[in-house]
Amino acid sequence: MRTETKHFYSIVSAKAVENGMAAEEHAESIYNISVTNEFIDAEYKGLPLEVKSCQSWVVDENTTTGRRRGRFRIPYNQHEYLMKTNGLYAFILQDEHRRLISSRVVSASHIDNLINNNVVTSLAWTNIFHELVSVV
């Protein structure tokens, strides 16, 4: 595993890692891929594919309701690589029990305008699954 990836995983919670592993299992089943857990997770239809996951709602004590919509974390170095290679993201939206709500494969170029250069972008799932905002 590359140093950048190790560092990224050292700063996220154990719960996030477990959610990511569940999402990778969903992606393997849905898209018939094999996740390698390298810098980029897999290949799909001949293109690099990075699996990203989040929960529909997460606890957040900084909000008046005590919760907020989940977010996908996108490191800039991964996004930059996917942009250079015409790569893809598999966005996996899960509930609090890691059950699949929805998934979507999106080209990196489709979300490029939402990515902050040189940092990790925190992207609300509503940017990817617009149609689910009123039902989830």
Side-chain angles (χ1 to χ4, degrees):
M1 188 178 289
R2 290 174 53 153
T3 305
E4 301 97 323
T5 306
K6 286 182 187 176
H7 175 69
F8 174 70
Y9 284 114
S10 69
I11 62 173
V12 297
S13 71
K15 185 175 183 178
V17 172
E18 291 172 7
N19 289 341
M21 290 171 50
E24 288 171 349
E25 290 176 9
H26 288 307
E28 285 179 326
S29 175
I30 296 165
Y31 302 111
N32 194 31
I33 61 170
S34 294
V35 172
T36 63
N37 291 317
E38 297 294 328
F39 179 64
I40 299 297
D41 288 323
E43 191 173 281
Y44 179 65
K45 296 185 178 180
L47 297 172
L49 175 79
E50 178 62 19
V51 178
K52 295 296 179 189
S53 69
C54 75
Q55 288 186 350
S56 54
W57 292 97
V58 296
V59 174
D60 187 341
E61 297 171 1
N62 297 318
T63 65
T64 57
T65 62
R67 70 181 194 157
R68 65 166 172 76
R69 295 186 192 275
R71 300 177 186 146
F72 299 106
R73 293 179 50 86
I74 302 176
Y76 181 71
N77 59 341
Q78 282 183 329
H79 181 72
E80 183 179 45
Y81 177 81
L82 291 175
M83 286 294 295
K84 289 178 181 176
T85 60
N86 296 315
L88 308 165
Y89 289 101
F91 290 107
I92 308 292
L93 181 62
Q94 303 172 105
D95 69 12
E96 66 274 10
H97 303 289
R98 298 187 186 97
R99 291 180 297 224
L100 178 67
I101 295 173
S102 191
S103 71
R104 179 166 293 151
V105 171
V106 174
S107 70
S109 62
H110 183 76
I111 63 162
D112 190 48
N113 64 321
L114 302 173
I115 303 301
N116 294 319
N117 293 351
N118 301 316
V119 296
V120 175
T121 299
S122 190
L123 186 65
W125 66 259
T126 54
N127 287 288
I128 306 301
F129 299 99
H130 314 282
E131 72 282 3
L132 298 178
V133 172
S134 62
V135 294
V136 175

